[in-house]
C-alpha cells in the first residue's frame, strides 16, 4: 500500500501550503465516510472504531470476550451481562489461508494492551468473524488518497495562477506630483465612478499587465470533476451540488445516480455480510444502515424542467 503523507512529511519537503490542503481534504472525506453509516446493537464507540479501522486498514475482526457468555439457565442481573457474551472488535493479521486465499486463522492485534484480547491464533468462523469493507480487501483510504493527491495538485496550480494575476499597479510620478497621484489612487481604490484628470495625469497611470492566460475556471471545473468521482466512489450524492442541472440530461443524471447507489451498496453489502456472519457464529444481532437514502432516478427531461420556469 502506498505510504500516506502526513502534515510533517509535507513540512519537511518545504510544502506547507500543500500539507494544509492535503489535511483539509483528508479530514473532509474521512468525516463524510464516518458519518455515512449508523449501527444498531453495538455501542456508538464500537461503531466508530469499526469504521475507523475499515477506513485505514480495510478489515476488522469480531469476537466474544472469553468468560462473558452466560450459561443457558443464567439470567442477566445487570446491563453489563450478555446472554451470548460481550462482543468486541479488533484489527487482525492473517495467520493461515485456505486454497481460495481466504484467512482461516488469524492473530488479533492488541493495539491498546487490553487484557481480554487473545494472544494465540484464532479460527475464523468459530472463534472470530472477519470482515472487509471492499471486495478487493483494500482500505477505503487507498482510493481516497489517490484522488486527494490529484485534487491537491489542482489546488496548488490554482494558487500559482492566482499569484500570477496578483500584479500591482505601477504609477509613474515625480516628487512634485507624488501627493496628487496618491490622492488619485485613493479615489480609484474608493471606487469613485468619475475621475477628472489632465492629459498628463492620464499618461502617469501605468498598469503592468500580466501575460498569463486565465484558466482558473477550467482548473476549478477539473477539481469539481475529481471530487465528484471521489464522492461517487464513497456512495455519496454529488449531482446538483457540484454541477448545474441545465448542463445535464436525464440519462446522464440517472447513470450517475445508479453508479452512486452501486458504490454505496458495495460498502453496505460487505458490512451486512460481516454482521450476518457474527449473528450466525455468536448469536448476536447487529444491523447497519446508510444515513442517507439511495439517490432516486430523475424522470423529468431537460426541456420539461426549462418549461417549468417559463
Amino acid at each position: 500500500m502506498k505510504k500516506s503523507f502526513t502534515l510533517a512529511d509535507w513540512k519537511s519537503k518545504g510544502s506547507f501550503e500543500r500539507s494544509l490542503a492535503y489535511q483539509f481534504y483528508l479530514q473532509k472525506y474521512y468525516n463524510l465516510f464516518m458519518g455515512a453509516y449508523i449501527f444498531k446493537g453495538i455501542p456508538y464507540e464500537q461503531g466508530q472504531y469499526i469504521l475507523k479501522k475499515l477506513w485505514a486498514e480495510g478489515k476488522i475482526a469480531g469476537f466474544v470476550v472469553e468468560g462473558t457468555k452466560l450459561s443457558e439457565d443464567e439470567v442477566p442481573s445487570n446491563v453489563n451481562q450478555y446472554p451470548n457474551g460481550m462482543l468486541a472488535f479488533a484489527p487482525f493479521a492473517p495467520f493461515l489461508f485456505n486454497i481460495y486465499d481466504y484467512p482461516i486463522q488469524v492473530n488479533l492485534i492488541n493495539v491498546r494492551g487490553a487484557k481480554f484480547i487473545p494472544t494465540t491464533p484464532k479460527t475464523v468462523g468459530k472463534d472470530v468473524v472477519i470482515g472487509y469493507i471492499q471486495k478487493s480487501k483494500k482500505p477505503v483510504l487507498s482510493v481516497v488518497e489517490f484522488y486527494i493527491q490529484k485534487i491537491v495538485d489542482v489546488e496548488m496550480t490554482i494558487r500559482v495562477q492566482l499569484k500570477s494575476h496578483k500584479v500591482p499597479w505601477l504609477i509613474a510620478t515625480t516628487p512634485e506630483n507624488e501627493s496628487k497621484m496618491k490622492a488619485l489612487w485613493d479615489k480609484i481604490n474608493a471606487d469613485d465612478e468619475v475621475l477628472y484628470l489632465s492629459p498628463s495625469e492620464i499618461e502617469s497611470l501605468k498598469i503592468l499587465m500580466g501575460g498569463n492566460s486565465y484558466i482558473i475556471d477550467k482548473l476549478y471545473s477539473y477539481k469539481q470533476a475529481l471530487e465528484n468521482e471521489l464522492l461517487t466512489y464513497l456512495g455519496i450524492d454529488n449531482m446538483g451540488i457540484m454541477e448545474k442541472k441545465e448542463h445535464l440530461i436525464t440519462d446522464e443524471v440517472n447513470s450517475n445516480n445508479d453508479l452512486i447507489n452501486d458504490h454505496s451498496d458495495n460498502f453496505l453489502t460487505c458490512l451486512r455480510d460481516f454482521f450476518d456472519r457474527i449473528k450466525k457464529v455468536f448469536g448476536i444481532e447487529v444491523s447497519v444502515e446508510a444515513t442517507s437514502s439511495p439517490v432516486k432516478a430523475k424522470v423529468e427531461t431537460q426541456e420539461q424542467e426549462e418549461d417549468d420556469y417559463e
Side-chain angles (χ1 to χ4, degrees):
M1 176 181 168
K2 184 179 67 174
K3 179 183 177 183
S4 173
F5 291 98
T6 64
L7 189 63
D9 294 328
W10 288 121
K11 284 181 178 178
S12 66
K13 295 180 181 181
S15 303
F16 183 68
E17 292 83 3
R18 178 180 287 266
S19 71
L20 292 178
Y22 177 85
Q23 288 297 319
F24 168 79
Y25 285 106
L26 187 64
Q27 291 179 46
K28 175 180 177 178
Y29 290 105
Y30 174 79
N31 290 335
L32 284 174
F33 177 76
M34 293 293 289
Y37 304 97
I38 186 168
F39 301 91
K40 293 182 180 179
I42 56 176
Y44 171 81
E45 291 83 358
Q46 283 191 336
Q48 290 293 289
Y49 184 77
I50 290 170
L51 290 176
K52 183 174 71 172
K53 291 301 176 183
L54 293 176
W55 164 272
E57 301 174 22
K59 61 185 189 294
I60 194 75
F63 64 99
V64 168
V65 177
E66 186 177 356
T68 60
K69 184 176 181 179
L70 303 181
S71 59
E72 294 183 1
D73 58 346
E74 191 174 358
V75 179
S77 59
N78 59 67
V79 295
N80 294 320
Q81 290 185 325
Y82 309 88
N84 295 313
M86 185 178 73
L87 184 63
F89 299 91
F92 71 89
F95 183 69
L96 290 177
F97 292 85
N98 60 18
I99 61 172
Y100 307 110
D101 292 330
Y102 195 84
I104 55 176
Q105 280 196 335
V106 299
N107 283 315
L108 298 178
I109 300 174
N110 194 342
V111 179
R112 299 296 180 185
K115 295 181 180 180
F116 61 83
I117 295 180
T119 58
T120 57
K122 295 300 175 181
T123 302
V124 176
K126 178 185 176 183
D127 305 315
V128 297
V129 173
I130 61 174
Y132 298 90
I133 189 60
Q134 301 187 88
K135 298 296 185 182
S136 64
K137 301 180 181 179
K138 300 296 183 180
V140 177
L141 180 60
S142 64
V143 175
V144 173
E145 275 194 319
F146 170 79
Y147 280 102
I148 289 181
Q149 296 286 357
K150 289 178 173 292
I151 292 169
V152 171
D153 281 342
V154 181
E155 281 277 6
M156 293 300 101
T157 307
I158 291 175
R159 179 173 174 270
V160 172
Q161 273 282 311
L162 282 171
K163 284 193 171 184
S164 71
H165 291 285
K166 191 177 181 181
V167 181
W169 290 57
L170 299 183
I171 302 176
T173 184
T174 63
E176 291 76 15
N177 69 349
E178 181 179 353
S179 60
K180 189 172 183 179
M181 288 298 102
K182 285 182 178 179
L184 178 62
W185 171 249
D186 289 339
K187 291 183 178 181
I188 295 174
N189 205 33
D191 297 324
D192 279 11
E193 295 180 359
V194 180
L195 298 175
Y196 299 95
L197 307 172
S198 66
S200 61
E201 289 171 339
I202 293 176
E203 288 297 320
S204 296
L205 294 176
K206 304 292 183 181
I207 304 173
L208 179 64
M209 302 299 294
N212 297 317
S213 58
Y214 185 85
I215 60 170
I216 293 176
D217 53 343
K218 296 181 176 63
L219 290 169
Y220 189 73
S221 295
Y222 176 50
K223 184 175 80 73
Q224 288 180 332
L226 290 172
E227 291 209 61
N228 277 348
E229 288 185 23
L230 181 48
L231 288 169
T232 298
Y233 163 73
L234 294 173
I236 298 172
D237 185 17
N238 55 74
M239 202 59 62
I241 299 176
M242 299 293 188
E243 307 243 14
K244 291 185 177 179
K245 290 183 178 179
E246 59 265 27
H247 293 165
L248 302 164
I249 62 176
T250 303
D251 288 343
E252 290 175 329
V253 174
N254 288 338
S255 176
N256 183 75
N257 289 347
D258 289 342
L259 193 57
I260 291 171
N261 291 335
D262 288 343
H263 280 288
S264 179
D265 288 344
N266 283 336
F267 289 141
L268 270 178
T269 298
C270 290
L271 287 168
R272 287 170 176 168
D273 176 66
F274 175 51
F275 292 124
D276 285 345
R277 286 183 284 114
I278 282 180
K279 182 178 180 180
K280 182 179 179 181
V281 174
F282 302 127
I284 300 174
E285 187 169 352
V286 180
S287 63
V288 58
E289 296 292 340
T291 54
S292 59
S293 302
V295 183
K296 296 180 180 179
K298 302 293 182 183
V299 295
E300 298 86 3
T301 63
Q302 182 182 0
E303 291 76 17
Q304 287 173 326
E305 289 179 353
E306 290 175 350
D307 291 341
D308 293 339
Y309 293 97
E310 291 180 356

